[in-house]
């Protein structure tokens, strides 16, 4: 049976980390290792984690950011496959079993599965970009059905809700110099390396909507704009690798930081 390593970075997650870990420890798939990286939390996170010793691998570092925390997990992971789970979020009880089975049946390099939004009032809702059918995509289909999303949306940016074979990630790390969008930079490289991906309708990842989550870290609009501008540099390099280095795609890449910032501003005004 293939081992799956689950990497969980946490910073000041005292309110949510227990629910997250409980969902991992009750998985129906038995061959797991759970690596929790405490990124120098200043709240009671460490106290919450202590009773889980023996059932998880607890790693600690001085506060260095989520990229560095995930990199530590990558260095220590011993599984055949890897999953990333944010400390705010949780998995359905058969998540790992289902996605490993999907990988075994399809032979895909990556299994990207669906998720559900969980709101503070208890509501659970499907996101507007849910997969509407299960699709196996070979490399030849990436230029139409994967790579364009990196130019105009954030659909494949997040590293959670994806099963990765460890060998595909060999030598790959998250960039530590970005305040946000480091997951998108990582995903760019992963999808460039991958030869196939299965898009699964299984909505077994629960993405909790909180103002303090990893993707809502209180960064100002200017910081987010700068990070996405840096990401545009990565994208321009990938356009050449993907065979998509055209004027329209370059224009989309240049405009992407501005469009994302405008979208974020609209959301803030609506809140």
């Amino acid at each position: 049976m293939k081992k799956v390593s689950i990497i969980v970075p946490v910073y000041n997650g005292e309110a949510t980390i227990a629910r997250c870990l409980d969902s991992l420890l009750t998985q129906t798939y038995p061959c797991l290792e759970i690596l929790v990286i405490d990124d120098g939390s200043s709240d009671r996170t460490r106290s919450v984690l202590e009773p889980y010793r023996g059932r998880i691998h607890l790693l600690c570092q001085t506060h260095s950011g989520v990229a560095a925390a995930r990199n530590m997990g990558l260095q220590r992971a011993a599984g055949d496959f890897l999953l990333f789970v944010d400390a705010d979020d949780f998995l359905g009880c058969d998540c790992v079993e289902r996605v490993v089975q999907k990988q075994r049946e399809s032979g895909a390099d990556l299994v990207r599965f669906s998720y559900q939004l969980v709101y503070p009032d208890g509501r659970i809702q499907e996101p507007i970009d849910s997969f509407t059918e299960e699709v196996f995509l070979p490399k030849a289909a990436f230029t139409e059905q994967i790579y364009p999303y990196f130019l105009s949306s954030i659909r494949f940016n997040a590293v959670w809700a994806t099963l990765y074979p460890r060998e595909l990630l060999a030598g790959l790390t998250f960039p530590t110099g970005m305040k946000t969008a480091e997951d998108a930079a990582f995903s760019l490289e992963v999808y460039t390396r991958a030869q196939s991906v299965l898009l699964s309708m299984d909505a077994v990842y629960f993405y909790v909507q909180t103002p303090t989550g990893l993707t809502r870290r209180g960064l100002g609009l200017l910081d987010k704009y700068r990070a996405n501008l840096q990401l545009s540099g990565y994208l321009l390099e990938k356009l050449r690798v993907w065979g998509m280095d055209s004027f329209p795609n370059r224009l989309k890449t240049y405009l992407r930081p501005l469009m994302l910032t405008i979208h974020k501003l609209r959301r803030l005004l609506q809140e």
Side-chain angles (χ1 to χ4, degrees):
M1 179 176 285
K2 301 288 188 181
K3 178 185 281 189
V4 177
S5 298
I6 304 180
I7 297 173
V8 185
V10 58
Y11 176 69
N12 288 354
E14 62 178 5
T16 61
I17 188 61
R19 177 178 60 184
C20 175
L21 293 183
D22 290 343
S23 79
L24 307 185
L25 290 166
T26 55
Q27 287 295 303
T28 56
Y29 191 82
C31 195
L32 295 177
E33 71 167 1
I34 300 168
L35 300 100
V36 181
I37 303 90
D38 181 7
D39 184 34
S41 296
S42 58
D43 64 356
R44 294 184 60 259
T45 293
R46 185 68 177 273
S47 298
V48 176
L49 292 173
E50 285 298 334
Y52 289 93
R53 280 190 182 275
R55 293 180 291 167
I56 66 171
H57 298 281
L58 178 56
L59 310 172
C60 300
Q61 65 179 27
T62 57
H63 184 46
S64 305
V66 64
R70 286 180 176 142
N71 288 340
M72 179 178 286
L74 284 172
Q75 292 169 4
R76 301 292 186 89
D80 302 288
F81 294 100
L82 278 71
L83 285 168
F84 294 97
V85 177
D86 287 353
D88 307 88
D89 303 335
F90 58 97
L91 302 182
C93 64
D94 61 348
C95 172
V96 179
E97 182 178 5
R98 288 167 71 171
V99 298
V100 169
Q101 182 177 351
K102 294 285 187 183
Q103 193 284 327
R104 184 170 59 248
E105 293 172 348
S106 68
D109 278 355
L110 302 173
V111 179
R112 179 77 175 194
F113 48 100
S114 298
Y115 63 98
Q116 299 185 65
L117 302 172
V118 181
Y119 291 92
D121 60 6
R123 285 182 300 121
I124 297 179
Q125 179 180 321
E126 287 192 7
I128 59 173
D129 61 350
S130 288
F131 301 131
T132 56
E133 59 180 338
E134 184 161 294
V135 180
F136 177 89
L137 298 175
K139 189 68 169 183
F142 281 27
T143 54
E144 292 187 0
Q145 298 189 59
I146 295 291
Y147 296 145
Y149 285 103
F150 284 108
L151 305 183
S152 58
S153 76
I154 60 172
R155 186 175 199 181
F156 294 108
N157 285 14
V159 295
W160 42 258
T162 307
L163 182 72
Y164 304 89
R166 187 170 61 146
E167 63 268 18
L168 187 70
L169 307 185
L172 184 59
T173 58
F174 290 84
T176 56
M178 301 175 70
K179 291 186 176 181
T180 188
E182 71 290 322
D183 52 352
F186 185 89
S187 294
L188 277 176
E189 184 58 39
V190 171
Y191 282 93
T192 300
R193 294 183 180 190
Q195 296 301 305
S196 58
V197 60
L198 178 73
L199 305 181
S200 171
M201 294 173 60
D202 287 348
V204 285
Y205 189 100
F206 292 86
Y207 178 26
V208 179
Q209 304 299 286
T210 68
T212 55
L214 288 175
T215 55
R216 299 185 176 207
R217 285 169 284 186
L219 292 177
L221 286 176
L222 184 57
D223 284 331
K224 288 181 179 291
Y225 175 79
R226 287 170 175 163
N228 279 295
L229 194 62
Q230 186 175 349
L231 182 65
S232 291
Y234 290 113
L235 271 168
L236 289 171
E237 293 176 5
K238 293 306 179 189
L239 288 178
R240 292 188 287 271
V241 176
W242 298 339
M244 296 174 60
D245 191 14
S246 64
F247 175 75
N249 286 337
R250 280 181 163 266
L251 183 61
K252 288 179 183 177
T253 302
Y254 287 127
L255 290 177
R256 184 180 184 279
L258 180 60
M259 300 307 294
L260 288 176
T261 302
I262 292 173
H263 176 70
K264 178 65 177 178
L265 181 59
R266 284 176 177 167
R267 286 180 57 188
L268 290 173
L269 291 174
Q270 289 172 358
E271 292 174 1

